[in-house]
Each structure stands twice: as structure tokens, then as C-alpha cells.
Amino acid sequence: MADTQYILPNDIGVSSLDCREAFRLLSSTERLYAHYLSRAAWYGGLAVLLQTSPEAPYIYALLSRLFRAQDPDQLRQHALAEGLTEEEYQAFLVYAAGVYSNMGNYKSFGDTKFVPNLPKEKLERVILGSEAAQQHPEEVRGLWQICGELMFSLESRLRHLGLGKEGITTYFSGNCTMEDAKLAQDFLDSQNLSAYNTRLFKEVGQDGKPSYEVRLASVLGTEPNLDSEMTSKLKSYEFQGSHFRVTRGDYAPILQKVVEQLEKAKAYAANSHQEQMLAQYIESFTQGSIEAHKKGSRFWIQDKGPIVESYIGFIESYRDPFGSRGEFEGFVAMVNKAMSAKFEWLVASAEQLLKELPWPPAFEKDKFLTPDFTSLDVLTFAGSGIPAGINIPNYDDLRQTEGFKNVSLGNVLAVAYATQREKLTFLEEEDKDLYIRWKGPSFDVQVGLHELLGHGSGKLFMQDEKGAFNFDQETVINPETGEQIQSWYRSGETWDSKFSPIASSYEECRAESVGLYLCLHPRVLEIFGFEGADAEDVIYVNWLNMVRAGLLALEFYTPEASSWRQAHMQARFVILRVLLEAGEGLVTVTPTTGSDGRPDARVRLDRDKIRTVGKPALERFLRRLQVLKSTGDVAGGRALYEGYAAVTDAPPECFLSLRDTVLLRKEARKLIVQPNTRLEGSEVQLLEYEASAAGLIRSFSERFLEDGPELEKILTQLATADAQCWKGPQ
């Protein structure tokens, strides 16, 4: 059997997302709006399969065929008759549920491959003897022949997502290197093109000279469209001695289905902001225009306090090895009014709280653009995973001048981060009960501060295309050097493009640090309803959770490549290192032996030193993070951040050795079963499923009842069209 690092255990936690009450309170029109937006999100989410690995679309198509012909209970009888044990069949169900949940065969949190935890020969017998294979023998056998080996392969390069020899990615053709990615980013910047909705394909001619295709995601391909701002971009270029060609049409048939559902949703929009937002999204997905998506995001920002909230597009860049290309994501959710009231109070206090952050006023935005901040119950979250909170849009120019929105996903928090005492690792016994009691409330506080005042704070010093600056060069002083500002962002440069590939993790670290720093403020705890001893417990558990998370983060470090696979976890490890460096016994990590005789470890946090030692250390670090970000000082930012992110076996912590202990004791991330909506006549019904691997599989089998076979054909055709691109480094 495979190394446990690369399998999902049979006892993996599975939870159902509960949004029944929030959905019940929607009007008929709001339900129809939510339904069509959900359909758009689910269709678009299929593009993630093509963004993950070469084999993911085929695996998905194969599983869809199997479970459309036989539900999990029916297939179980066949599997047992083929000689599988109950444990082996459960392992297959867990694997299938994992593929659906992650939209591919790599974990969304950590980018590690997972494989079926049963012999390949046994799974082959189940598949080739299934009802699906009886009905369509050539198709099923063909899918298995394409993806069977890759499904199980743990060849070193295939164990993790990455670029070149570091891993597998389908954002770039297999012969691309980090140098190619950097050159392509420079090209995109020179043409004022965003990388968010692109992939890069490289060809090498007989003369050894490379040429590159930058392919935009869109419904339209080569068809001319005289009214589109994209038309002039679709041509060939010479750039720094290399040939570039900008094309479009990536994921075209999938995006066509997204557009069709968004058109239907427009009829049920609550106001003109929503109508114009959807019109621009449709334009964006049709033409391949990020500018149109930005325009849609402007209307989305202006749509304050909607009952049904949503966002859709190529959003987060965590899984692009270079950190610039967005994974498709779409969510639909309903407002939780009780928790939203607390967040509104936090927003009302934001301008005062921003003054508490440890950098000069000149390094803060000229005007705080009051955002929406709501707690939502998720109905649909399509993509590779579901976060606890979101701060969007990610476009720097919009965030700096027009604003953003924050959302906390309440029903996700309720199930995804609950912890059983017997599975709680790396804490002292006396901390465990306190941790379980206050982890949820402290996480609400941290998510609120992280999203609103973490991602929502800080100014980027910029020079526009006309040469004008958004700061006073004569008077603004760098507090770290005492000198005038020496660097800034020039026209066309963004945070992601300039700081790639550390941009995502660096920003998550900054936001997490803001959350830890501001949770010490009495006003914050009062907003969330905590005073006295309870407030102190919330602070302690919030800080304790962060240092424990820093230790758990070691699971996502790859020693062979000296690299991190998950931005959030790298960020938390950096914070752990900062607090350890503060000294005076604030934080200690001690290797020990568990009651089972195997290696273990304990994290201790001295609560009496959080303010006296921890706060000053975090203050110094946070100021440096912001100054380097504001000034676009890439060299300084990389030196600071990568220094703290380095994992060595230096005493006293010996982190490389501790990583083995973390892997030994790790708990698999929960799978979340989401509901479906179905239109019955003129009414929308909510369909819920049991919290099990089989329930998760059923939710996907019923998600595309009308056009499942068509979608499987689309996915496999798109995957096959680019199959020659993933041959690996040359």
C-alpha cells in the first residue's frame, strides 16, 4: 500500500454543509437567482480538473460513468463479488469522494497527490466488470487505459504540484521552467495583460529557439469580434528575443455553459448592480477579458448587503507554481444575520483599529473604503476546496481605490474546523479542554480580523502610466531605513506579478499577523462579545492555535525540493518562527514520546508573555512586512520571508526531524458534502446528502443529471487536445 502521506484514510472525517434554514428564508425569486448562480459555479468548477493534472479529467469522467450506472451501494455488491474486502471498497469510495471534493487527484490544501488505497489489479477488476463497462465497454476501458497508471503512480515528480522538475502542473506545458514563467510574466506586464485567466504553452523549434502561446480562457476562439477590447491583443509578438502568441478559447465549452446559466440568473437579479455585474462576467468569460471581470467586480463591490451573495471567476493563484494564474472558483451563499451584525460593528470600528497597526500613516490607504463584511451560509462552493473566509477581489488596483468585500463562511467554520479531543495533537493535556471550548469563537475573531484588517489594510506605493505617484516622494520616509522611498510599483506591475512566487504566502502571513496583533485590543474582543477572563482565553487560544498550526504546517514542506506546497501553512510556520525567535520562553516546541511509544511533540505558549514578549516581536515583524510590500522591495521581501520560511534541523527545534513526527500524527482534512438545488416546475428545491463518502459521491452523481455524458466528453476532449504538452521537462 502507498505511503500514508499519499492516501486518504478510510476514517476520514466527512461533514455535510447545513444551509437549510438560510435557504428556507429566501423568496422564490432569490432561490431562482441562487439556483442559476450555483449551476454556473458547478459548471465552471469542472475547469479545475483541467487546471490540476493531465489525468484528472479522465479520472473524473471514469468515476462519473461508474456511479451513474451504479450507485455506491450497488457497486459495492459487485466489488465484493470481485474479491474486494469491505475496507478496500471503502478505500475506493473515499478516493472517489476525494477526487470530487478536491476537483482532481491532488489535495487542494497542500497540493499533494493522493492515490487509491487498494491494489490496482483489484480496482481494475471492479471497473472493467462494472455496469458502466457492460454498457460502454470501449469508453470505460479506454478511460482506464489512459488514467489507470497515473492514478496510482507516485513517481517523484508526480507526488506534488509544481513546475519543471519540482512537480506537475497544467498551468504550464511540461517543458516550461521557472525562467519561462518569469519571462512570460514580464511579457504580460509589458502588454498590460493579466495572467489570471491564462495558461502558458512552450514549443522549441528545430533551431532551439522557444516560442510561447499565452492562452486565455474564453468561450470565443479565433472568431473576430470588432467590439471587443481583446481583439487587438490576439496576435504575435517578439519580446526579449522570444516569440509570443496570444490566443484564446481555453475551456471554451465549459465556459459556454457557465455563461448560459449566468444569463438565466440575470432575470432574477435583485437590482441593477447585480444585472450589470453578471453582464460583465458574461463578457469576461465570452471574450477572455480580465478587464471585463474587473468591471463586474466593481458592480459587485457596490452591491452592498445582498441576501444572496456570490462571486465567480479565475480567482485565487495559490496553485500556480509562479503565483499569478487563478484557479476557477464560484460560490453562492446566504446571509447569516446574527454573526453579520458583529462584523458590521467591526467594520464600523475599522478606521480606528487601523491606526493601531504598527506602520506610519503614509503606509496606510489614503481613505478606508468601507467594505461589506458578512457572515454567510454557503449553498455552493465550486472549486478545489472551501475556505473559512474570503477577502475579494484580488485586483490590486480595485482594492486600493474602490474597495473590497469580506465574507466569513459560518456554516463551513461550524463543520470544517471542529476538533475531537482524542484527535487533538501537539498540545499539553491541560490546554486541550480550553482549546476545544474556545477554538471556534477565537477562529471567528481571527477570520474577521484577517480578512477585514489584514487583507484590507496597507497601501502600495505606485507610479501610473503618466508618471504620477500616489505618495509624496519628498516627505514619506521608510521607517526601517530612515530614508526616502527608493522603490515602488510601476505601471502594469501588481503585487502578484512583482512578488511571485512568494506573494500569496507573504500576504497570508501579513493578514494572519494582523489578526494576532489586533485580537489583543479590548475593543475587538468586546465586539465579538468577550470580556474579562473569557476575552483572555480567546486571545490565548487564538495565539496557541497559530503556533500549533505552525508546527502542523511542516506536513506541507517538501525537503527534497526545499519548498512549501501551501501558502497558508507556510505563513503560519513563519509566524511560529517569529514567535520562537522572540525568546524568553514565549513559545517552546519540545519533542517527546507518546503513550503509544512513538515520537510525539508538545507546543507550549506562555500566556503571561503574549503581551510583553509576543506583541513587540510581532509588531517589529509586521512593520517590516508592510514596509517591504508597500515599497515593492522584492529583494528585501524575499530575504526576510524566505529566511523565516527555511526549514532546517538546527537545534533546539530540529524542524526537519519534527516534520516526521507531524506526518506520523497528522489528521486528514475533512471532506465536505454540499447540497444541490433542483428546479421542479417554477420552484427550487434543496437536495441534501448524508455525511459520508457515499453521500458526497451521490451529490456529484445528481449534480449533472441532464448532461453528465456530454460533460465527460467535453472534459476528455479538452484533456486529449493538450495531452502532448505534459511530456515533462526537456
Side-chain angles (χ1 to χ4, degrees), residues 534-598:
D534 286 353
E536 291 303 310
D537 285 344
V538 167
I539 291 169
Y540 175 64
V541 170
N542 195 30
W543 280 60
L544 180 64
N545 184 53
M546 189 62 68
V547 296
R548 176 177 180 263
L551 181 62
L552 295 175
L554 288 168
E555 175 190 344
F556 303 97
Y557 179 75
T558 306
E560 299 82 5
S562 300
S563 64
W564 287 89
R565 306 188 308 276
Q566 218 289 330
H568 295 76
M569 299 309 280
Q570 181 182 7
R572 291 165 188 169
F573 177 78
V574 167
I575 292 172
L576 171 61
R577 287 284 308 277
V578 169
L579 298 180
L580 281 166
E581 191 178 90
E584 299 187 42
L586 171 68
V587 174
T588 55
V589 181
T590 309
T592 184
T593 302
S595 58
D596 57 3
R598 298 188 299 172

Side-chain angles (χ1 to χ4, degrees), residues 47 129 137 338 395 483 611-612:
Y395 304 121
E483 301 173 351
R611 285 184 172 84
T612 59

Side-chain angles (χ1 to χ4, degrees), residues 309-330:
E309 183 62 282
S310 69
Y311 199 63
I312 190 168
F314 295 89
I315 312 298
E316 301 292 357
S317 56
Y318 301 129
R319 298 182 96 183
D320 170 13
F322 190 71
S324 294
R325 288 152 189 82
E327 185 174 80
F328 195 94
E329 180 180 288

Side-chain angles (χ1 to χ4, degrees), residues 662-709:
V662 169
L663 291 174
L664 179 69
R665 301 282 178 181
K666 75 184 179 73
E667 181 182 358
R669 192 171 176 84
K670 287 183 180 177
L671 304 179
I672 296 181
V673 184
Q674 298 187 55
N676 282 321
T677 55
R678 181 174 298 165
L679 190 60
E680 296 183 1
S682 60
E683 294 296 318
V684 178
Q685 303 298 323
L686 183 71
L687 306 180
E688 299 174 288
Y689 303 88
E690 67 178 23
S692 67
L696 200 157
I697 290 166
R698 288 189 181 97
S699 74
F700 267 87
S701 294
E702 295 185 7
R703 196 149 282 152
F704 303 108
L705 286 176
E706 302 83 8
D707 51 6

Side-chain angles (χ1 to χ4, degrees), residues 7 24 56 81 113-114 149 174 177 286 429 453 479 686 692 697:
I7 62 168
R24 184 185 69 80
K113 188 174 186 178
F114 58 94
E149 286 294 332
T177 65
T286 301
E429 284 299 316
L453 298 168
L686 183 71
S692 67
I697 290 166

